[in-house]
Amino acid sequence: MDILSILLIDITLYVSFVLGRNCRTNSFHQHTQENFDPVKFQGRWYAMSTNNYWIRSYFVPQNVQLEFNALQDGRISVQASGSFFGSFCDYVAGSGKIVNKEKPAVFDVSFETNYSLAKKVNTYWVLSTDYESYAVVFTCWNTLEDGTCDPEESYIWTFTRSLSGHSLSDLAAINDAVPFVCMSPRDFKTFQQDGGCDFNPFNFPNTYGMVFIMSTVFIGFIIFLVFFIYCLTKVSNGGEGPQRKGNVIIFN
């Protein structure tokens, strides 16, 4: 079965399946990976796709990857990296804990970042994984009054252990897992992965999200500078600059 056939089957299943689903986030723990083993989940994961880029800007995240570690007493640590402006890499660390030992695939995590929504404690659900090849992780950063997740702040990621991407069997498993949180792979956007932003988890270069912020400020400054120079050029070429005729301002 090819990728197109899998996607067509997914669309049919999604329409018939999600319409009758309970989309309140407090029901999602029922659909996490059965007998989830945090120790087997440890190690490096590369993000292949997501429904939303969590940074709303002209920067498209690339080379997103994370290192997951299971610590004692149900605590976990997460180290993540990604590039948002060419080859400039950003690194953030997170920590959290498993909420309920009977549901180890659900954990609360907060990141050491200047991006406020990721900084607060958010719940993450591991919906499906085989530990060796793929993983599907969901989180909601804003739960609405009716108990459902704000579509603008709901995120689902697919991960692989290698840069080669998902296999057909991985895609089939992903398609099976996603509708349980009232979402569809049709909405997925891909991440470029070329091995950039690699890191040593034992010597993690935490930048606290500052690379993204500095890049945004820099681009904003460049846009302002270009606009300012343009205005100066128009005034210089026009001699007298903008003139008023009645209630209308005319730019020379």
Side-chain angles (χ1 to χ4, degrees):
M1 182 179 296
D2 59 20
I3 294 178
L4 179 58
S5 298
I6 292 176
L7 291 177
L8 290 175
I9 293 173
D10 166 66
I11 292 173
T12 303
L13 291 176
Y14 176 78
V15 172
S16 59
F17 185 76
V18 171
L19 290 178
R21 291 295 311 151
N22 179 359
C23 293
R24 294 181 177 87
T25 58
N26 60 10
S27 70
F28 291 168
H29 68 277
Q30 304 174 30
H31 309 295
T32 53
Q33 175 63 45
E34 186 177 0
N35 299 320
F36 178 71
D37 187 342
V39 175
K40 292 173 63 176
F41 196 70
Q42 290 185 123
R44 187 63 52 94
W45 290 98
Y46 299 94
M48 288 290 122
S49 59
T50 182
N51 65 308
N52 276 330
Y53 294 135
W54 61 100
I55 302 294
R56 306 291 200 273
S57 75
Y58 31 75
F59 297 113
V60 175
Q62 300 176 1
N63 294 312
V64 177
Q65 55 189 283
L66 63 84
E67 184 85 11
F68 182 91
N69 286 288
L71 307 176
Q72 295 179 347
D73 303 322
R75 293 178 297 114
I76 62 173
S77 70
V78 181
Q79 298 164 315
S81 68
S83 60
F84 299 94
F85 181 52
S87 60
F88 293 95
C89 296
D90 213 357
Y91 303 88
V92 294
S95 60
K97 63 179 180 180
I98 295 172
V99 179
N100 184 341
K101 290 183 179 180
E102 295 183 359
K103 292 291 182 181
V106 183
F107 35 81
D108 290 342
V109 179
S110 64
F111 286 90
E112 302 170 7
T113 174
N114 290 284
Y115 187 57
S116 60
L117 289 177
K119 188 174 183 178
K120 71 184 184 74
V121 176
N122 293 295
T123 302
Y124 292 77
W125 292 260
V126 179
L127 303 179
S128 180
T129 183
D130 64 354
Y131 305 101
E132 299 296 329
S133 179
Y134 81 94
V136 185
V137 179
F138 172 81
T139 185
C140 177
W141 288 0
N142 182 29
T143 302
L144 301 177
E145 292 184 359
D146 63 0
T148 62
C149 188
D150 181 350
E152 294 299 317
E153 299 300 344
S154 62
Y155 304 92
I156 191 165
W157 292 279
T158 70
F159 293 95
T160 66
R161 287 291 195 183
S162 70
L163 296 174
S164 58
H166 293 303
S167 66
L168 292 178
S169 60
D170 291 346
L171 290 173
I174 291 168
N175 291 348
D176 288 342
V178 171
F180 282 110
V181 289
C182 303
M183 302 181 74
S184 170
R186 293 176 299 162
D187 302 323
F188 282 174
K189 308 168 187 175
T190 58
F191 292 108
Q192 177 181 321
Q193 289 284 1
D194 58 19
C197 299
D198 192 16
F199 59 85
N200 180 353
F202 301 103
N203 187 23
F204 189 65
N206 198 343
T207 57
Y208 303 95
M210 287 304 297
V211 170
F212 169 75
I213 293 174
M214 292 172 64
S215 299
T216 302
V217 171
F218 175 74
I219 292 296
F221 174 75
I222 293 298
I223 293 174
F224 170 78
L225 185 61
V226 170
F227 179 75
F228 181 72
I229 293 174
Y230 171 79
C231 291
L232 287 180
T233 302
K234 292 291 289 183
V235 171
S236 176
N237 292 339
E240 298 179 359
Q243 300 178 0
R244 179 180 293 276
K245 289 187 177 180
N247 293 324
V248 179
I249 296 178
I250 300 176
F251 290 86
N252 294 324

